[in-house]
């Protein structure tokens, strides 16, 4: 296995696992937040505007964590500095 | 095992595991959200419109996480840059 | 083990595990949603129509996640681009 | 180990694990749904028809996930394209 | 290890694990359903007939999942196409 | 390791694990069912006959899953077709 | 490692693990059943006879699952057909 | 590693793990049963005799499962038929 | 690695793991029992004598399971028949 | 595998796993915090300002932990001192 | 690796893991017992003497399990019969 | 693999895993603390100042544990004494 | 790898894991005890002295378990008899 | 791999894992303690001083466990006796 193959394989596997594992937490967290929002709406319909606003801020915070994972995943596939270095090495050889 | 075989195998296995593992969290999260929505609807039928709207926004957010996994999975199968590079390498040889 | 064998094995194992693992989350999520729907129906029979409608939308969303897994699984078995490339390679040789 | 043996072994092991693992989620989900249906029936016998109807729709949805696993499992045993290709390869040789 | 030995071993191990793992979910699910049925019977003895009927339908659905596992298990032991092919190969040689 | 040894070892290990793992679910499920039956009996002694009848049907269903595992286990030890074939192979040689 | 050693080791390890793992479920299940029986006795002392009777039937059912494991375990140690065959093979040689 | 060493090692490791793993379930089950007995005693001191009697029967049932593990463990150390056979083999040689 | 070293290592590792793993269950079980005893004492101080007596019987039963593990552990260290046999073998050589 | 390849692979895999695993905790923690905030808002709409302020401070604290993981992940990809040293080593050679 | 090294390594690793794993159960069990004692004290301050006495007996029982682990751990480090035998073997050689 | 490569790889992997695993506990702990603070604020708005003060002290304590992990992680990347020693060794050679 | 290296590595790894794993139980146990103490103080401020005294005894007991782990950990690093023996062996050679 | 490299790697990996794993328990425990403190403050604002004092003592006890892990971690990095011995060995050679 030469350098390019190893780095490509590691990048592929890691990119998938990063978003795969990283999706568990945010999805459960958002599920919980949405679930509470709905219960709260049913309990206090008058506070709907402040509940909705707080929910969206919270979802944005949690989604940001999922996006960290997605960003790392995309970087590893499309802007991988190690891969670029290896390509330029191979090209220059 | 030559380069193409390794990259293909890694892509296949990762594509499957990414969506496989990544489906657990969003599915449970959506299940929880829908479950709360139904409980809330039964408790406060008058707030049905705001409950439904909030539920759909929440489901969209959670579904987006599952879609991140699906996108990575599809990219790895159909638009894999490492595979394309390896193919072009092999073709040029 | 030649290229075709490795890719075939990886595809078989991954196709199975993808839907196998990916079935856990959606099934539990749908179970929870249906369970809440039934409890809500018993508690508020008058809201049956809105409960049923919301339940079906929710089930559709969750089922879609299971279907992502099923699609990847079927793609890996019947429309696997890596397998097709390897076959054409082997055929052209 | 020649190609046929590897593919056969991978298919056997995967077919079993797919339905084995894939049975956990749907069974628990259906158990939960049925359990709620029974509790709801006891609580609100008058809503029996709508509860039963909703339960059957829900069970059908959850069962469909178990059936995805069963289908993949059966495909891997009786209609495995990789096995068929390997057989035809071996036969033609 | 020749082909027959490998396929036999894989079939034996898989047959056992399939029903072994696959028994966990249905058993827990049925336990939950029966448990709810009993609680409901105690709470609302008048609804005994509809509770019992719904319970049996539910148990049948859950049992069917366990039976999928059992069927795959039995197929792998007594009607294994890969084994049959290997036997006919060995016999014809 | 010759064919007979491998098949014997695989059968021994699998037979044990099948019933070992397969005992967890049914035992917990039956424990739950019995537990609910007792609670229900204490709550509604008048419904004792219908509770007991439903309990026995439920226990029979759950026990049947444990028996599937036991049957596979016993088949692997005493009526193993792969072992029989290997024995006849070895005897005929 | 000759045949006898492998089969002996596999039998020893499996015999222990079978009853070791298989003891978890029944013990927890019986603990739950006994626990409910005691709670029920305290709640409804008048139903003591029917509670005790149901408890014993339930414990017998659960114990039977533990005994399946014990039986397989004892069979593997004292009446192992694979071991007997290997001994007779070795003796006849 | 000769036969005696392998069988001795397997017996030692298995004997320990059998009782080590097998102690988890019964201990938790008995803890639960005792815990319920104490709660019941505090709730209904008049039923002390029937509670105590039922508790002892239950503890005996659960303890019997732990004793199955202990028996297998002791058999593997002090009355291991495979070890005895290997010793007699080695002695007769 | 000669026979003595292997048996010594296996005994050391197993002795530690047996009591290490085997301590989890009894400790949790006793914690639960003591916890219930204290709650019951606070709820019904008049039943202190029967609560204390039942607690001690229960703790003795649970402790006995931990002691099974300890006994196996000590036997493996100080009265290991396999080690004794190996020593006598080595000594007689 | 030369030095550069190993360090690159280790960096890629670690970068992904760090944020992947590290996303679970913060996402669940934030989900819980947001969920409580929404419940509190519904229960005490008058305290909305202090609830929102406390929520944002808390989310910031939890998000900071996710950002520690993201920072380490980015450092490993874009400012990895070990990679830089290895590059300079390789360049100077 | 000679005999002394293997036995020393096994003893070191086992000594640590024994107390490391063995600390989980007792610590959680004691935490639960102390927790209940405090709740009971707050609920029934008059029963403080009998609560405290029962708590100390219970803690002593649970602590004894942790001490079993500690004793095995210390025996493996400072009074290891296998190590002593190996030392005497090495010394006499 | 020479000394520098091994130490670099170990440092990279450990640095990531340390903060990755170490983020789970503090994040969940802080989530719980913040969640309770919000519930308490809604329940007793008058105690807001003492609740907020206690919350911040608690968050600081928990954050300090996450920071221990972050510090070890950063030390391993930027101030690793083993790496420095190896570099100076390599430089002096 | 010579004797000293192996023993040193085993000691380092074990020392860390012992306190690492061993910290989980006591920390959770103390958290639970402190948590109950605080709830009890809020419920019954008059019993503060006896609650505090019992809490400190309990914390001391639980802390002692963590200290067992710490002691073993420190012994393995600074007073390791196996290391001392190996050093003296190496020195005398 | 020479002695220095192995010891360095083992120290690096262990130092990270020790604090990484060891952070889970204390963080969760402190989170629980703080959470109860806040709930108690809201319930009984008058007992704030005794609640706060008890909380700080408890947090100190739990933090001490995290600090044990941190100390072992720092010792392994900066005051590792095995590393010092190996360095002095290497220097004297």
């Amino acid at each position: 296995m030469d350098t390019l193959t190893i780095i490509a394989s590691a990048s592929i596997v890691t990119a998938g696992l990063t978003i795969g594992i990283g999706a568990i937490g945010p999805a459960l967290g958002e599920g919980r937040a949405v679930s509470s929002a709905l219960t709260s709406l049913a309990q206090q319909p008058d506070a709907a505007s402040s509940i909705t606003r707080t929910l969206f801020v919270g979802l944005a915070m949690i989604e940001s964590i999922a996006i960290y994972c997605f960003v790392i995943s995309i970087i590893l596939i499309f802007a991988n500095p190690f891969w670029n270095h290896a390509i330029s090495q191979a090209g220059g050889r």
Side-chain angles (χ1 to χ4, degrees), chain A:
Chain A
M1 300 207 296
D2 62 341
T3 296
L4 280 180
T5 313
I6 295 174
I7 294 185
S9 307
S11 301
I12 289 171
V13 171
T14 307
L17 286 187
T18 301
I19 187 67
I21 297 176
I24 297 174
L28 292 178
E30 291 191 7
R32 186 166 192 168
V34 173
S35 155
S36 286
L38 294 167
T39 312
S40 304
L41 275 177
Q43 196 184 333
Q44 193 75 270
D46 298 339
S49 73
S50 80
I51 287 174
T52 313
R53 205 178 44 232
T54 308
L55 174 67
F56 287 172
V57 172
L59 286 184
M61 292 294 281
I62 304 175
E63 189 79 14
S64 77
I65 299 178
I67 287 177
Y68 294 165
C69 295
F70 191 57
V71 162
I72 294 288
S73 212
I74 290 293
I75 285 175
L76 289 179
I77 295 180
F78 292 113
N80 192 324
F82 305 106
W83 172 255
N84 293 343
H85 180 267
I87 290 280
S88 70
Q89 281 294 90
R93 221 189 298 150

